[in-house]
Amino acid sequence: MRKEKCFVESLRFSTATVGSDPRSGYNARQFPLISLEAYFLMTVRTRIAPSPTGDPHVGTAYIALFNMAFARQHGGEFILRIEDTDQTRSTAESEQAIFDSLRWLGLEWAEGPDKPGPHGPYRQSERSDIYKHHTQILLDEGKAFKCYRTAEELDQLRNQRREQGLQSALKESDLALPADEVAKREAAGEPYVVRMKVPEEGVCVFDDMLRGSIEVEWSQVDCQILMKSDGMPTYHLANVVDDHLMEITHVLRGEEWISSAPKHQLLYSYFGWDMPQLCHMPLLRNPDKSKLSKRKNPTSIIYYQRMGYMAKALINYLARMGWSMPDEREKFSLEEMIENFDINRVSLGGPIFDQEKLSWLNGMWIREELSDEQFAAEFQKWALNPEYLMQIIPLIKQRVEKFTDVAPVAGFLLSGMLPITEESFTHKSLQLEDTRRILQFASWMLDTEQNWEKDHLFAQFKLLGEAMGFKIRDVLFPIFVAIAGTSQSVSVVDSMQVLGPDMSRARVRHALNTVGGPSKKEAKRWEKEYRDVAKALTEA
């Protein structure tokens, strides 16, 4: 019955057209109707496509969960694709963290970089010839153009439009250079990007599985870059080409991509392909209703694993983000979610990611699902596993005389947020404002730090102190207290390497909140000061 249900949910989208609305402003191929017979032969295929450029995000897990649940509920397949076209920031370590985190949560895929299938390769960096081929098709058919405009010229164009009060996006007519100038730049081998052609007037109309028909003025859609000057595709081209070639039938993604849907729909039309059915999920929110961000809420899956949350509880909580079981119960398993999944039960109100509610739900899982023996086994696997212990022992061995000393010395390495107060940061050489500035600047620095090796961290703190006018020992004092709860502890950078970036960043932010973050007036002044500090850190 699953495919029958999928058919009913999707029938009204199967006649979607690109440009079928008379206001659309251009002629485009109509997507063919999907016959009843063809539909029942179709395998539902969904995907998640994270970028390996940092810690795996709970938002990625949230979208992956709903894609997997939708596919499995309809007897389909869930695919993992790695979008690593940003070669300067993508790392193998981040990719592995994505694999490990999703699997820890129980989100398994049918095809992916580590599970070869018929639609590979599954890393975008390995598909560059495919993107170049499709870019050339668009150029040959006059649906894309080479743009030789420099960054300075683009800024000048945008400034002129602002001065004229124009709110529309840049179009081909705005970007066009005289033919002789194009020939000159081409002959000189100057860099260019490939942009798609976009209608200048009319309305783009597309359907969303949750929101129905959505309209976007073409005047607000820019001539998107498809191929960068380094020969790598942008997300928009790679996304469309990969989804088509990997036979993705449904795209469940965050609502921030609604504004990009017209570009994607247009590209599908240009290539003459059927577009997958779109479903834009509501964004996860902080308690203050702002978009979930690591500056206000820990966002890494690894953080929640390190904090001692059960994977089943976290996936249960993510499932409750905008969706509910038919009987409205709070606690349920992944298997129960899949069995009862109905995309129409997704609420469009921005779901609030509340750590207190997550902790409450996690407590229910611990008390109701774990026997005493299972509790002991899970705790041992979390905190006393050999891999983690072997990182801790070299740090504490020289500081203990008997095993009863271990807990006082190493307790902070087995804890979450520490019970620190403003008095914890009392220091003979630092005023409270100094401590607040150091913690804020350190927090900003650590938020962008990708190298978490202890020697590198120490070097960065040393540079931070020099740029701020403090000695290294004074800079490290509040960091010691933030990380270990006291300045009388093992090396703080060694501890940070063991704890990892997620827990370390969270503790520094917790310390900053404890002593008082900057006021609005201070924040503006500090941000200006930090720009100079960040420049010094980068240039060193």
Side-chain angles (χ1 to χ4, degrees):
M1 293 295 293
R2 289 179 175 176
K3 287 191 177 181
E4 286 86 340
K5 184 178 180 182
C6 182
F7 174 76
V8 172
E9 290 176 351
S10 307
L11 182 60
R12 67 190 180 94
F13 304 107
S14 64
T15 60
T17 62
V18 175
S20 58
D21 190 290
R23 298 168 293 166
S24 60
Y26 71 104
N27 294 319
R29 300 181 178 90
Q30 180 171 328
F31 291 166
L33 291 172
I34 302 174
S35 69
L36 184 64
E37 179 182 6
Y39 191 89
F40 282 113
L41 294 175
M42 179 181 72
T43 298
V44 171
R45 286 171 62 86
T46 64
R47 51 77 171 170
I48 187 69
S51 299
T53 55
D55 304 325
H57 200 284
V58 289
T60 298
Y62 163 67
I63 296 298
L65 168 63
F66 280 83
N67 274 279
M68 192 187 84
F70 184 86
R72 297 278 174 83
Q73 214 279 331
H74 297 303
E77 296 170 338
F78 170 60
I79 312 303
L80 173 64
R81 186 170 71 225
I82 295 295
E83 298 193 345
D84 59 347
T85 55
D86 186 347
Q87 291 291 283
T88 60
R89 297 176 59 224
S90 297
T91 66
E93 293 77 15
S94 180
E95 179 181 295
Q96 188 60 50
I98 291 171
F99 295 164
D100 295 342
S101 296
L102 293 181
R103 285 202 168 105
W104 174 67
L105 290 170
L107 303 177
E108 190 59 67
W109 47 96
E111 302 168 26
D114 61 340
K115 280 192 171 183
H119 305 89
Y122 296 90
R123 293 185 185 90
Q124 288 188 336
S125 60
E126 299 171 3
R127 299 172 64 84
S128 57
D129 288 344
I130 296 173
Y131 306 132
K132 289 176 182 177
H133 170 72
H134 286 86
T135 299
Q136 194 59 51
I137 290 175
L138 296 176
L139 287 170
D140 292 344
E141 295 185 359
K143 295 165 182 172
F145 63 98
K146 295 180 180 179
C147 179
Y148 283 91
R149 289 280 189 178
T150 65
E152 292 76 16
E153 288 174 331
L154 291 172
D155 288 339
Q156 185 177 8
L157 280 172
R158 294 187 182 103
N159 289 334
Q160 289 174 351
R161 295 175 71 81
R162 277 194 292 270
E163 291 171 1
Q164 296 169 4
L166 299 176
Q167 302 297 321
S168 58
L170 288 174
K171 302 294 184 179
E172 183 184 12
S173 57
D174 302 308
L175 298 166
L177 289 166
D180 59 340
E181 181 62 22
V182 172
K184 177 183 175 182
R185 297 189 185 191
E186 185 173 13
E190 293 189 20
Y192 65 88
V193 299
V194 176
R195 294 178 180 270
M196 67 185 297
K197 293 186 177 182
V198 175
E200 300 199 9
E201 299 178 346
V203 178
C204 173
V205 183
F206 61 93
D207 284 307
D208 183 278
M209 294 176 68
L210 294 176
R211 304 160 195 268
S213 180
I214 297 176
E215 299 182 0
V216 177
E217 297 281 344
W218 279 117
S219 62
Q220 302 304 311
V221 181
D222 64 336
C223 290
Q224 177 64 50
I225 295 175
L226 301 178
M227 189 71 72
K228 295 176 285 189
S229 58
D230 63 0
M232 293 298 285
T234 61
Y235 165 85
H236 303 277
L237 175 70
N239 166 70
V240 167
V241 171
D242 288 347
D243 281 350
H244 174 72
L245 295 181
M246 294 181 183
E247 300 180 8
I248 301 302
T249 61
H250 298 75
V251 173
L252 283 67
R253 60 189 183 187
E255 63 184 331
E256 71 268 31
W257 294 108
I258 289 177
S259 62
S260 296
K263 302 173 187 179
H264 301 166
Q265 189 186 58
L266 185 56
L267 282 173
Y268 278 104
S269 172
Y270 281 168
F271 287 121
W273 299 335
D274 295 346
M275 185 169 72
Q277 294 168 27
L278 301 181
C279 178
H280 293 94
M281 298 289 294
L283 289 177
L284 300 183
R285 304 283 178 182
N286 293 308
D288 65 1
K289 304 297 180 67
S290 61
K291 179 182 176 182
L292 186 67
S293 65
K294 64 183 180 182
R295 290 195 174 187
K296 295 185 177 181
N297 229 335
T299 58
S300 170
I301 301 170
I302 297 172
Y303 168 82
Y304 292 96
Q305 184 178 15
R306 181 68 197 87
M307 276 291 289
Y309 288 98
M310 292 178 62
K312 291 181 179 180
L314 180 54
I315 207 71
N316 180 179
Y317 188 67
L318 290 174
R320 292 283 294 130
M321 295 287 97
W323 185 82
S324 61
M325 291 282 280
D327 60 5
E328 299 291 336
R329 69 182 185 270
E330 295 267 13
K331 179 172 164 284
F332 51 86
S333 68
L334 175 59
E335 292 73 23
E336 289 172 321
M337 177 192 182
I338 292 172
E339 182 63 30
N340 292 276
F341 189 73
D342 180 351
I343 194 66
N344 292 311
R345 292 191 64 83
V346 172
S347 170
L348 293 180
I352 302 299
F353 192 96
D354 186 339
Q355 286 193 69
E356 290 186 8
K357 185 66 178 291
L358 170 59
S359 295
W360 170 82
L361 184 60
N362 195 71
M364 286 185 62
W365 274 89
I366 288 175
R367 291 186 293 273
E368 297 178 7
E369 299 297 327
L370 298 181
S371 66
D372 291 351
E373 292 77 13
Q374 290 172 323
F375 183 100
E378 288 297 316
F379 177 76
Q380 184 176 22
K381 184 167 61 176
W382 171 75
L384 305 178
N385 63 81
E387 182 181 355
Y388 191 56
L389 280 178
M390 287 309 296
Q391 296 179 65
I392 295 176
I393 290 172
L395 299 185
I396 67 171
K397 192 175 180 182
Q398 301 303 317
R399 301 176 69 91
V400 302
E401 295 179 343
K402 49 192 178 299
F403 292 132
T404 51
D405 296 334
V406 171
V409 172
F412 76 96
L413 293 168
L414 302 173
S415 301
M417 296 302 102
L418 304 176
I420 53 178
T421 65
E422 185 176 306
E423 288 69 33
S424 304
F425 294 89
T426 302
H427 188 269
K428 63 181 180 180
S429 301
L430 296 174
Q431 300 297 317
L432 180 60
E433 183 177 354
D434 296 328
T435 297
R436 293 168 63 237
R437 285 181 66 245
I438 289 171
L439 287 171
Q440 179 63 86
F441 283 32
S443 180
W444 284 334
M445 181 188 79
L446 295 174
D447 277 344
T448 59
E449 188 57 64
Q450 295 189 48
N451 184 346
W452 214 255
E453 199 274 330
K454 61 183 181 181
D455 291 337
H456 176 76
L457 290 174
F458 182 83
Q460 290 296 93
F461 280 125
K462 189 171 186 296
L463 290 170
L464 179 66
E466 292 172 353
M468 295 182 70
F470 293 108
K471 295 178 181 179
I472 180 63
R473 66 172 181 268
D474 292 336
V475 168
L476 288 181
F477 170 77
I479 306 301
F480 259 105
V481 178
I483 296 298
T486 174
S487 61
Q488 305 302 312
S489 181
V490 299
S491 164
V492 69
V493 291
D494 283 271
S495 301
M496 291 175 69
Q497 181 171 303
V498 171
L499 288 169
D502 315 290
M503 182 64 75
S504 299
R505 289 170 181 150
R507 286 190 183 176
V508 171
R509 283 193 292 270
H510 174 61
L512 179 60
N513 292 334
T514 300
V515 297
S519 64
K520 289 184 178 180
K521 185 176 180 179
E522 284 177 322
K524 290 183 179 179
R525 176 164 54 86
W526 289 3
E527 285 175 3
K528 183 178 180 181
E529 292 173 6
Y530 182 72
R531 283 195 288 270
D532 294 331
V533 172
K535 184 178 180 182
L537 292 172
T538 304
E539 293 176 349

